[in-house]
Amino acid sequence: MAKLSIGQALRISWQSSKRDWRIWLLVSLIFMLANLPGAIFDLNKVDVFSFQSLLWLAVGLVIMALFSPGIQQNGLLVARGSVPTIQTLTGQFKLAGKFVLFYLLYALITTLGFIALIIPGLYLMARYSMTPFIMLDNPTLGVAEAMSQSSKLTKDKIWQLFVAYFVIGITYMVLATASGLILGIFLAFFIDGNTVTNLIISNILFLIPSALIMPFSTVGPASIYEQVKSQPTTVATADPVTAAAV
């Protein structure tokens, strides 16, 4: 079994950061608009259960759900040697419901796994990690069927996947932390006071570093998927988690 190339995933991500920064800047802007109202309400100490807080929370979740398939589809395009586009970003809304259902199931399954002494949670997280990409490649598949295919695709590759996701995740976290520290020091010198205006300014300033590190969380996993998909798989038995859902 060929080893997964983590270096290739990181290299493609960095190349996309430099080449495709405009589209990732747009993605970062979408994330900012989805999360900014909640941050403003928190700054103003608005009750989290108030109508306006719950309304903007719902709006933010809808925005994230609608754009999540397009963001990951753009990651696939880059991993396959193409370039991300605005049309792709906005052309996958029809899959939003499936993505929401999958991530709810994914959170439930992995949470139960983590409760069972952590290791099962890591195992399940890697086992079903290919599901979003499988749904993008096969839009007519149901969530349970896509999860079953992910389970078969990742069989015998769990350890490699765990290491790959760990390294990609650490790289993303280091870059995000470094960016946050540099921006925080800059803001401490030039912006005085914790106000809504300053919050908006800091979010706008963070768009640039956010755009540069975004591909590591989108292109990186997509590159791993492409590598896994290209490797031969052994015949797998019926998946116990999704069998009941089919």
Side-chain angles (χ1 to χ4, degrees):
M1 179 177 61
K3 290 185 178 180
L4 299 177
S5 175
I6 303 173
Q8 176 181 321
L10 294 176
R11 183 171 59 256
I12 294 174
S13 299
W14 176 237
Q15 290 172 348
S16 182
S17 295
K18 296 182 293 181
R19 183 193 64 198
D20 309 316
W21 62 270
R22 293 177 183 83
I23 191 71
W24 300 123
L25 183 64
L26 177 59
V27 172
S28 298
L29 178 61
I30 292 171
F31 280 9
M32 187 197 79
L33 294 176
N35 294 313
L36 187 58
I40 293 174
F41 289 150
D42 184 61
L43 180 65
N44 291 331
K45 301 187 184 304
V46 176
D47 183 4
V48 69
F49 294 109
S50 67
F51 174 76
Q52 57 183 340
S53 292
L54 293 176
L55 175 62
W56 278 109
L57 174 62
V59 170
L61 290 175
V62 169
I63 292 174
M64 298 292 285
L66 286 174
F67 284 98
S68 179
I71 292 169
Q72 297 199 51
Q73 183 69 68
N74 270 329
L76 272 180
L77 286 177
V78 175
R80 291 169 177 170
S82 186
V83 294
T85 65
I86 294 177
Q87 290 78 8
T88 300
L89 181 63
T90 59
Q92 306 297 325
F93 291 166
K94 60 183 181 295
L95 290 176
K98 288 184 179 180
F99 267 64
V100 170
L101 177 57
F102 162 67
Y103 282 118
L104 288 175
L105 291 173
Y106 192 56
L108 175 62
I109 292 170
T110 54
T111 298
L112 292 176
F114 281 120
I115 292 175
L117 302 178
I118 299 178
I119 298 299
L122 296 174
Y123 173 85
L124 292 170
M125 183 179 294
R127 196 75 189 259
Y128 297 109
S129 60
M130 303 287 117
T131 304
F133 301 116
I134 292 173
M135 289 193 294
L136 288 169
D137 279 341
N138 306 274
T140 59
L141 282 184
V143 174
E145 190 175 358
M147 292 178 69
S148 180
Q149 287 196 17
S150 175
S151 179
K152 295 174 183 177
L153 191 63
T154 57
K155 181 176 172 62
D156 300 328
K157 303 180 181 71
I158 299 300
W159 172 245
Q160 288 194 61
L161 286 171
F162 172 74
V163 173
Y165 291 144
F166 178 79
V167 173
I168 292 173
I170 287 296
T171 302
Y172 178 85
M173 290 175 60
V174 168
L175 292 173
T177 301
S179 301
L181 287 174
I182 294 172
L183 181 61
I185 293 173
F186 174 82
L187 293 175
F189 279 102
F190 293 99
I191 295 182
D192 183 29
N194 195 19
T195 65
V196 172
T197 300
N198 292 341
L199 176 64
I200 294 174
I201 292 174
S202 63
N203 272 267
I204 292 175
L205 291 175
F206 192 69
L207 285 175
I208 296 176
S210 177
L212 292 176
I213 65 177
M214 180 72 65
F216 289 93
S217 64
T218 53
V219 178
S223 175
I224 296 300
Y225 166 70
E226 285 296 292
Q227 294 181 51
V228 170
K229 192 176 65 169
S230 67
Q231 296 181 4
T233 56
T234 58
V235 177
T237 57
D239 179 53
V241 174
T242 59
V246 175

